[in-house]
Amino acid sequence: MNTIGVIGLGNIGQGMALSLRRAGFEVIGTALSAATRERASLELGIRVAPTVSAVCAEADAIVLSLPTPADVASVIEGPGGILD
């Protein structure tokens, strides 16, 4: 397992992504908000994908860090989500 996908790059997700990268994993992430994706990419140097499906296509494992149960359900079951 070399590439970990982090879906949700807010405060906690960013910390997880950076910790995984320091541990030697390749990390790709995305966030529901375009502004959050941009900040993670530009300020933290996290490799960011535009969609959940793009993260899933590259990652060996997925970590979710989302604020609400509705967001989790949407990311997993919604159009373009993990199960899609």
Side-chain angles (χ1 to χ4, degrees), residues 7-8 18 22 26 30 32 50 55-56 58 66 74-75 78 84:
I7 299 173
L18 293 172
R22 279 192 302 272
E26 183 176 339
T30 195
L32 300 176
V55 171
C56 292
E58 292 193 45
L66 299 164
S74 173
V75 163
D84 213 13

Side-chain angles (χ1 to χ4, degrees), residues 17-74:
L18 293 172
S19 293
L20 288 163
R21 192 171 63 189
R22 279 192 302 272
F25 293 97
E26 183 176 339
V27 176
I28 183 167
T30 195
L32 300 176
S33 157
T36 301
R37 289 192 302 272
E38 184 175 342
R39 184 179 64 229
S41 176
L42 296 176
E43 294 178 17
L44 302 174
I46 296 169
R47 188 164 65 102
V48 174
T51 64
V52 170
S53 60
V55 171
C56 292
E58 292 193 45
D60 299 312
I62 303 290
V63 175
L64 301 180
S65 178
L66 299 164
T68 70
D71 291 333
V72 172
S74 173

Side-chain angles (χ1 to χ4, degrees), residues 9-21:
L9 294 171
N11 293 331
I12 294 171
Q14 286 178 9
M16 289 191 303
L18 293 172
S19 293
L20 288 163
R21 192 171 63 189

